[in-house]
Amino acid sequence: MTRKQKRLSIIAGALLFLGAATALTFVALGQKASYFYMPSDLKTASVEPGQRIRLGGLVEKGSIVRGKGAEIAFGVTDDKDTVKVTYTGILPDLFREGQGVVTEGSFRPDGEFVADSVLAKHDERYMPKEVAEGLKEKGVWQPD
């Protein structure tokens, strides 16, 4: 094997390795991606039961129901549609009715959304970017 052939085989091997690493990275990231939806977006979206998504909107007024222990049920709304959410765990301190919220979880086969994380805004001027943009598009929320 000549010197030129050795160099080309090393370059080809390195490119093959980088290509495989890139492909594995994209596959891993694609499996972990969770898509963001507003409640009214779910009518047209095809979300499979068990598929992880982010659901954002406002906590519906009068919808918070506390269950046994750390179990809680509430509605997430964009003033057009509402999705009932159940969550077991400790809620953020600023979680309350009428505030922006992003939940992450999946739908059960019976259609109930089960969240495994709940994020609330952290002060009066901030709302999660996706939620603010979605609510602005629908004309529901106006910044101060």
Side-chain angles (χ1 to χ4, degrees):
M1 191 180 259
T2 65
R3 190 172 178 189
K4 185 177 181 179
Q5 289 174 332
K6 285 182 185 178
R7 190 178 313 136
L8 285 175
S9 64
I10 290 172
I11 291 171
L15 288 175
L16 183 65
F17 176 78
L18 286 174
T22 302
L24 288 173
T25 302
F26 281 121
V27 168
L29 289 175
Q31 292 173 348
K32 288 290 184 184
S34 58
Y35 299 99
F36 180 82
Y37 295 97
M38 299 292 288
S40 58
D41 296 339
L42 291 172
K43 284 184 176 179
T44 58
S46 59
V47 178
E48 305 278 328
Q51 178 184 350
R52 291 191 57 76
I53 65 166
R54 283 182 162 176
L55 174 66
L58 301 173
V59 178
E60 185 179 33
K61 293 183 193 272
S63 69
I64 298 175
V65 178
R66 300 200 182 268
K68 296 178 184 177
E71 197 173 295
I72 188 165
F74 58 93
V76 174
T77 185
D78 59 4
D79 281 346
K80 295 186 182 188
D81 287 308
T82 301
V83 174
K84 298 297 180 191
V85 177
T86 59
Y87 175 70
T88 302
I90 298 171
L91 289 168
D93 289 338
L94 296 174
F95 177 87
R96 60 184 175 269
E97 295 176 351
Q99 297 297 316
V101 67
V102 174
T103 61
E104 189 168 347
S106 59
F107 282 98
R108 288 186 186 162
D110 64 2
E112 180 182 9
F113 187 79
V114 179
D116 52 32
S117 69
V118 175
L119 306 170
K121 69 181 207 167
H122 72 274
D123 71 14
E124 293 303 319
R125 293 175 308 278
Y126 174 78
M127 181 175 289
K129 181 181 177 186
E130 296 100 345
V131 173
E133 289 173 356
L135 292 173
K136 283 179 194 174
E137 285 176 12
K138 294 177 181 14
V140 175
W141 182 73
Q142 298 297 321
D144 295 333

